[in-house]
Amino acid sequence: MVSRQQTGLDDPTDGGTEAEVSAKAAVGTPVKQRGRPRSFDRETALEKAILAFWEHGYEATSVADLTRVMGIGAPSLYAAFGDKRSLFDEVVRAYGTKYGSFGERALAEEPTARAAVERMLREAAAEYTDPRHPHGCLVVHAATNCTSPEVEESLRERRNANIAAFESRIQAGIDAGELPSSTDAAALARHTGAMIQGMSQQARDGATKEELEALAELAMAIWPRSCSPAG
């Protein structure tokens, strides 16, 4: 039998059987109505969950923390989002779309690999220090002190996928002649990933946008240049 908690009902009341309801009505006794799920805006609740996980990480954010900041009861959370792990998976996807897509856009829109990475680092400096939300990158920070192997692996896969995307864009630049043929695409991509992840932690530690922009400028100074006009 499915319990009321499993249905996602908050503070349900029951009017009794049909016969009991009819009897109560006959003697003028008020009849309690069956409870209904409390209404809440799902997108607003999800955004609050993003900020909670972003600020505290996966491990340190409890279900009690989530229900408090999201403004819903545990039954409603489970009914709308599943368990904590399922909610976190949705949070990471939503974060990637709303806050973490600047890198993907830069790689797709800029004409050269160098321009793409330079734009990505500068936008990371701005995004990671934006006062409107927690500093740094959720995908980097949420893995801190994580004791869930599945969550840790999921976040690792996302970070490695980013590095693979950097390498693909850099290799395309080599093939197009914008970078020397001797360029080590894998090493340069991993350097880019290390810069992004390091900037995230620096932002968490209080680095300003200007300080991170200066770091980005230094990072680009090591990039190889081609004699080609495209470089």
Side-chain angles (χ1 to χ4, degrees):
M1 179 180 292
V2 178
S3 70
R4 286 174 178 164
Q5 278 201 328
Q6 289 172 313
T7 66
L9 296 176
D10 286 341
D11 300 326
T13 56
D14 194 340
T17 66
E18 184 176 351
E20 289 171 339
V21 170
S22 298
K24 289 176 182 178
V27 297
T29 303
V31 179
K32 295 181 179 179
Q33 299 299 315
R34 289 184 180 274
R36 295 182 179 180
R38 290 177 182 168
S39 61
F40 65 92
D41 186 275
R42 192 179 190 281
E43 292 305 310
T44 299
L46 180 61
E47 176 67 14
K48 292 178 179 178
I50 291 173
L51 299 178
F53 280 122
W54 195 348
E55 178 65 33
H56 304 291
Y58 178 80
E59 199 67 34
T61 305
S62 67
V63 171
D65 295 329
L66 291 167
T67 57
R68 184 180 67 256
V69 300
M70 296 168 76
I72 61 177
S76 291
L77 186 152
Y78 292 129
F81 299 99
D83 59 13
K84 176 182 169 181
R85 169 66 196 282
S86 298
L87 171 59
F88 181 70
D89 288 342
E90 185 170 350
V91 158
V92 171
R93 291 192 297 271
Y95 167 86
T97 299
K98 183 172 182 179
Y99 299 102
S101 59
F102 61 87
E104 184 178 350
R105 290 196 303 270
L107 293 176
E109 295 172 3
E110 292 301 321
T112 66
R114 179 187 179 86
V117 171
E118 183 171 13
R119 169 180 161 182
M120 181 169 56
L121 293 179
R122 291 190 178 281
E123 291 190 6
E127 186 64 45
Y128 291 170
T129 57
D130 191 327
R132 294 173 295 181
H133 55 62
H135 288 179
C137 171
L138 181 149
V139 176
V140 173
H141 179 62
T144 304
N145 298 323
C146 182
T147 60
S148 170
E150 296 82 7
V151 171
E152 194 172 30
E153 178 61 22
S154 174
L155 294 174
R156 183 184 302 114
E157 287 176 356
R158 285 182 174 272
R159 294 192 298 270
N160 286 337
N162 287 338
I163 293 175
F166 303 158
E167 182 176 353
S168 177
R169 186 66 183 84
I170 291 167
Q171 186 60 55
I174 295 171
D175 295 341
E178 74 176 72
L179 292 169
S181 59
S182 59
T183 301
D184 187 333
L188 196 53
R190 195 157 291 281
H191 171 265
T192 302
M195 292 305 305
I196 287 283
Q197 293 173 26
M199 289 170 71
S200 171
Q201 185 58 53
Q202 287 288 306
R204 297 286 301 189
D205 290 342
T208 65
K209 174 186 175 182
E210 292 73 24
E211 289 171 333
L212 294 184
E213 286 176 338
L215 184 62
E217 185 174 347
L218 287 173
M220 296 309 301
I222 73 158
W223 267 62
R225 293 183 177 274
S226 170
C227 293
S228 165

